[in-house]
Amino acid sequence: MSAPDPLRRKIVKTFKLHGLTLRSEGSTYLQSLLRESDSSEVNEALTRIIDVLSKLNLPSPVVDKTSLESAVSECNEDVQPETSDKIFSVIDVFSAPRFKYNCERKKLLLDSSPRSLLGSAADKTRLIRDRYWLTLQRTLRHDLFTPPVPGAVSGSTKFTLQTVEQVLGQHGESKHTIVLAMVVQLEEGKLVQPSIN
């Protein structure tokens, strides 16, 4: 009896490590495909095939030749470069999705309001308000403003981010507080801090 082929052992072992059982015709098929490849190419190819197989809805962990053929053909489609070289991609502004930040849910939601080429004054106000809320949320997620985890040792100083109204309502001195506000010039020489809420 001859010794098992090292490539076949590697294929079967890799599939077993990922919780898959390979039928004999499948291992023979992969062996014929990967015979001329070196060790690193075999590892990369097996990893890609197993990734594709994990995305397929296989009825059982036993992989047959037909499933392997479809996974290999999908891997080959991913590897082949596009034949047409696109330098620019034009996206229509009116068909691109637009998102709006929802303060209550604290997430971006799809904005389905009608669009026009020339916006109104309310559109400019909404743009500035949305930009403020996005800036606020991104700033709050920064490491300097996240609250410390109980029990964790933190060497850096944590800051609190507050609005102007919150600072005006406080008595005494508050350390490590940063104010986030928007200043608008309505008339020449007159700056105003509008309420964003």
Side-chain angles (χ1 to χ4, degrees), residues 1 50 53 68 76 80 85 87 125 132 134 139 172 184 186 188:
M1 186 173 213
I50 290 173
L53 284 172
L68 279 176
N76 287 338
Q80 293 174 354
D85 293 335
I87 297 175
T125 306
Y132 173 80
L134 284 174
T139 307
V184 184
L186 295 177
E188 188 174 337

Side-chain angles (χ1 to χ4, degrees), residues 143-160:
D143 291 336
L144 291 175
F145 300 105
T146 55
V149 178
V153 179
S154 176
S156 63
T157 305
K158 298 291 183 176
F159 295 95
T160 56

Side-chain angles (χ1 to χ4, degrees), residues 46-120:
L46 288 175
T47 304
R48 279 190 285 142
I49 290 170
I50 290 173
D51 287 343
V52 171
L53 284 172
S54 65
K55 292 175 187 172
L56 297 176
N57 292 330
L58 296 175
S60 71
V62 179
V63 181
D64 57 349
K65 185 178 177 182
T66 57
S67 301
L68 279 176
E69 287 173 343
S70 64
V72 167
S73 66
E74 191 170 327
C75 287
N76 287 338
E77 289 173 5
D78 293 342
V79 171
Q80 293 174 354
E82 292 183 11
T83 55
S84 63
D85 293 335
K86 279 191 164 183
I87 297 175
F88 294 106
S89 178
V90 179
I91 300 171
D92 182 20
V93 171
F94 295 104
S95 64
R98 184 171 55 174
F99 296 95
K100 181 180 179 184
Y101 184 76
N102 189 331
C103 303
E104 290 82 27
R105 291 183 174 180
K106 293 188 176 181
K107 63 192 267 187
L108 291 169
L109 299 175
L110 192 62
D111 187 12
S112 59
S113 61
R115 302 179 193 187
S116 66
L117 186 59
L118 301 172
S120 63

